[in-house]
Structure formats: structure tokens, C-alpha cells
Amino acid sequence: MKQPIELLGLSKSELVSFVETIGEPAYRGRQVFKGLQQRRLQSFEAMSDLPKELRARLNEVSLASSLTVESRYVSSDGTRRYLMKTHDNLPVETVFIPEERRDTICFSSQSGCPLQCTFCLTAQLGLLRSLTAAEIVEQIQIALNDAYGTGVKPPRGTNLVAMGAGEPLLNLEELLKALRVMADPQGLHIVPNRVTVSTAGVVPRILELAKTSDRPHLAISLAAPTDELRNELMPINKRWPLEELLSACKTFEKTLKPGERLTFEYVMLDGVNDSDEQARQLANLLNRHSIKAKVNLIPHNPADPLPYQPSSDEAVQRFKNVLESKGIHAYVRRPRGRDIFAACGQLAAREGTLSNRIQTTLVGANN
Ligand code: SF4
């Protein structure tokens, strides 16, 4: 049997072509696009401006939505965390982070992850599969509908970060497709300039992204200033060691737009990568490649099966001071939604043990 086509992953012109293949005029395609992407309707039944027969036909051959929300938690700081399931029962994790001037949605690009970062709980799932463009778009739709109501325009701008489960650059094609759909002014209208993709360092894809005109911003997860330690923490480093990674970053840097900066993420692990000497090594590494990046120092979120603890506030501050003394712009990322394990790599893998321990408002599964 032919698989129903997921319409959320189609651009307006692709949707127009699609409705034409089922014998409908082009304007119906534009109507369906608006219903899905601007009104954020999750079923054809809800598109009351379409004839009944067309809604029934669309239901036969296509899907308006395919994710279901398994559980939803709201943190005391307003962060919302969702564990969703795909049609084939695989976990997808998404986090909505409200801030004063904007909201940020952290979405997943894969279910599970093939990379084996030792500080990350998602790594323990392995790769279940890459998500489709429609499944990427739907995560954003679900979070916005939940926060503001179906189709209600968010009061602030929405930023997106591909920092949930998965290595986004290993699903680059579907990711870029999703971003192009979401950029449409008659849809969600979230432009690539509001999107940051975080990679563990897939060098060939960084170079490919550098050549993409409508690309998002890039963040690189470093976690270590030397190959020896990075091989241990992020085994992808054995394939693309620091020198190769940094030279790809340099190439990428040449394509930055005015005001845009490359970001390095550095998860702070107590007694592992947080010494003064390691801060100097990191600064020297970036300076040697003359990369004008900023470094985000990220407090590690401890999780039982992982052998790491977060660095103390003093250690993080000292690390930051050393970087700054060597001319590197460093920021300490404020942990959000810690009480609901909302950090990258904390969601799906932990769901089995979560329910007994959660300290916050369990709003309950919906959808
Ligand atoms: S940190 Fe990111 S890239 Fe590494 S295993 Fe976890 S999800 Fe994958």
C-alpha cells in the first residue's frame, strides 16, 4: 500500500503540485498550506473552508499530522517539555523555552542519536531513525499551539535550535527542507536567521552548509580542548579531529553575514574539562585558528547512568575569566527546565524513570 504523504513537510509550491495530482485546482493547495502552516490546524476536518469531499480525499491519501504527545511537563520557570511519539512509536523530544523578548524551541532532528557522546543520555538510545521534514515542522507547531492556542500568533519572536535528540547534520536534507517550509511568510514565518543548528562536528556537512545560501546559524559542540579528551567524550572526534574540525569552522566563518558569529558549546564537567589549564588550551586552540567565535559554557545536567557531575559555579566562572583574559567572548548559559530534565539529551532516554521523580506540575498527556 502506498504510504500517505506528510503534507507538513511540503512547501507551498509542492502542495499546489500535490493537490493538482489529485485533480484539484492550485488555489486549494494554497488553502491547505495556510490551514496547516499558518492556522496550525492538525487535521483536515478542522479546515472548514474546504469541501467535505476534498477533506475526505485528503484523509485517504495524505497526513495533516503524525506525531502524538505522550507526555508534557511544565517547569517552575515556564519551560515546557514534550515527549512525542512518531507513527511508528519512536520517541521525539521537544522543549519550549519562554524568555522575555523571544521564545526558543529546541527540537529534535532524529529519534535517538547514532553518536556516542559519553555525557549525553540520548546516546544510550542509539539511532532509531532520522525524522522527516514534516516531523520536524510538527514539533514546532505542537509547541506553539500548546503555548498560545491553535493558530494564535506568538506575541514574541520564535527562535529555533536544533539541539534536541540527534545530530542534525546527519539529517541535513530533511532539516533544510523543514526550515524552508517554516520560513514561508504565509506559514510559520520563522526565517533561517532565527535558527541555530548544533553539531558534534560532522566536517563534510559543515562545509556543505557553508555553501548553502539560506542556511541557519551554526554551533559546534566542543566539550574538550584536546583530541585526547575529546576522543573520550565525543568519539566522533576520532573521525574528524580538532584540527580538521577547526579548519572547517574557519571555512564556515568566511561565509558569515555581518553581525553573525559562530558559536562553540562547551559542556562543563566537574574535574574532567573545567581546569584553568584546559581553559587556556581552549583559548589557544581558537586563537591559533583565528576564529572569532563566542563560547557558551553549558552547565552539565547530571543523570544517573552518566559518570559526570556539573562543574561548580566557581569553576565555570574561573573558566570564563581565563577565556576572556585571552580575548575569547564567553557566556554562561543559564540552565532552564532543570526540574523537568529539559536539557539536550535528557528527555526520551530518561522517560522510564522520570514519572516517579518529577517534582513539577505534571500537566498530563494530551492529544
Ligand atoms: S550530545 Fe547530541 S550529538 Fe552527542 S550523542 Fe547526544 S544527541 Fe547525539
Side-chain angles (χ1 to χ4, degrees):
M1 207 177 87
K2 220 174 151 199
Q3 271 296 101
I5 178 162
E6 297 177 309
L7 299 193
L8 267 180
L10 301 189
S11 66
K12 202 178 327 99
S13 60
E14 287 168 335
L15 240 169
V16 165
S17 309
F18 167 73
V19 298
E20 284 172 345
T21 63
I22 59 168
E24 293 290 329
Y27 77 93
R28 290 291 186 206
R30 290 190 286 275
Q31 253 178 316
V32 176
F33 184 85
K34 193 173 169 197
L36 292 171
Q37 302 290 351
Q38 192 184 81
R39 301 168 67 202
R40 304 197 302 263
L41 300 173
Q42 290 194 279
S43 73
F44 299 120
E45 284 75 25
M47 299 181 192
S48 48
D49 53 339
L50 299 181
K52 233 176 165 178
E53 307 69 51
L54 175 55
R55 284 184 263 162
R57 180 82 179 110
L58 287 171
N59 262 332
E60 274 165 31
V61 294
S62 63
L63 290 173
S65 121
S66 69
L67 297 179
T68 47
V69 178
E70 283 274 301
S71 45
R72 165 181 176 268
Y73 305 94
V74 181
S75 161
S76 50
D77 68 13
T79 301
R80 291 166 185 234
R81 161 195 182 275
Y82 307 89
L83 181 67
M84 307 181 193
K85 283 271 154 82
T86 60
H87 67 89
D88 47 351
N89 218 24
L90 301 176
V92 175
E93 50 192 81
T94 312
V95 182
F96 174 88
I97 307 154
E99 283 167 297
E100 219 176 284
R101 295 190 3 229
R102 60 174 179 268
D103 299 320
T104 301
I105 299 174
C106 173
F107 65 94
S108 297
S109 52
Q110 299 182 306
S111 180
C113 183
L115 304 185
Q116 293 293 313
C117 306
T118 54
F119 50 84
C120 171
L121 218 45
T122 304
Q124 303 193 355
L125 292 173
L127 176 66
L128 302 171
R129 76 165 161 80
S130 286
L131 299 179
T132 62
E135 288 164 336
I136 293 173
V137 175
E138 193 171 356
Q139 292 175 63
I140 316 307
Q141 305 266 18
I142 286 175
L144 288 177
N145 280 351
D146 183 53
Y148 297 115
T150 302
V152 176
K153 195 169 184 284
R156 301 175 279 271
T158 307
N159 285 357
L160 303 182
V161 292
M163 294 183 187
E167 164 51 58
L169 297 193
L170 291 180
N171 190 20
L172 187 56
E173 205 177 312
E174 291 298 303
L175 175 73
L176 290 177
K177 207 169 155 195
L179 297 187
R180 283 172 193 142
V181 170
M182 290 192 282
D184 194 308
Q186 282 160 357
L188 286 169
H189 200 188
I190 301 173
V191 294
N193 197 26
R194 299 199 77 119
V195 184
T196 301
V197 166
S198 172
T199 179
V202 185
V203 164
R205 299 286 164 85
I206 293 174
L207 298 172
E208 195 180 326
L209 195 63
K211 292 189 204 134
T212 308
S213 56
D214 53 349
R215 61 165 174 75
H217 302 298
L218 186 66
I220 319 278
S221 175
L222 269 186
T226 62
D227 279 326
E228 199 188 358
L229 181 59
R230 199 164 187 269
N231 284 346
E232 207 181 289
L233 298 177
M234 301 183 74
I236 190 177
N237 195 69
K238 294 179 193 156
R239 178 78 181 78
W240 292 291
L242 281 169
E243 281 303 310
E244 246 184 272
L245 175 58
L246 271 287
S247 87
C249 292
K250 190 69 204 164
T251 305
F252 192 90
E253 194 187 42
K254 291 185 189 132
T255 71
L256 296 179
K257 299 178 192 84
E260 187 185 5
R261 242 190 306 175
L262 199 56
T263 307
F264 288 101
E265 311 277 345
Y266 194 96
V267 60
M268 299 288 295
L269 307 170
D270 181 38
V272 175
N273 65 357
D274 61 352
S275 71
D276 291 2
E277 175 57 15
Q278 285 161 322
R280 278 190 288 275
Q281 286 172 333
L282 177 60
N284 292 342
L285 180 73
L286 298 179
N287 286 335
R288 190 148 39 82
H289 287 267
S290 4
I291 294 182
K292 285 190 192 49
K294 67 171 176 176
V295 176
N296 279 340
L297 302 174
I298 303 172
H300 171 62
N301 278 271
D304 285 346
L306 301 177
Y308 305 106
Q309 288 303 314
S311 303
S312 66
D313 291 349
E314 298 73 50
V316 175
Q317 192 54 47
R318 254 201 347 260
F319 201 91
K320 179 177 187 283
N321 293 346
V322 174
L323 290 180
E324 284 178 339
S325 72
K326 291 183 158 284
I328 307 284
H329 295 279
Y331 301 86
V332 179
R333 179 101 69 72
R334 196 159 52 100
R336 295 291 305 260
R338 233 181 195 171
D339 52 349
I340 52 167
F341 311 113
C344 166
Q346 295 276 300
L347 304 173
R350 130 167 257 155
E351 188 62 5
T353 56
L354 184 65
S355 48
N356 298 335
R357 304 173 47 193
I358 199 145
Q359 297 296 308
T360 52
T361 324
L362 170 59
V363 183
N366 63 0
N367 282 23

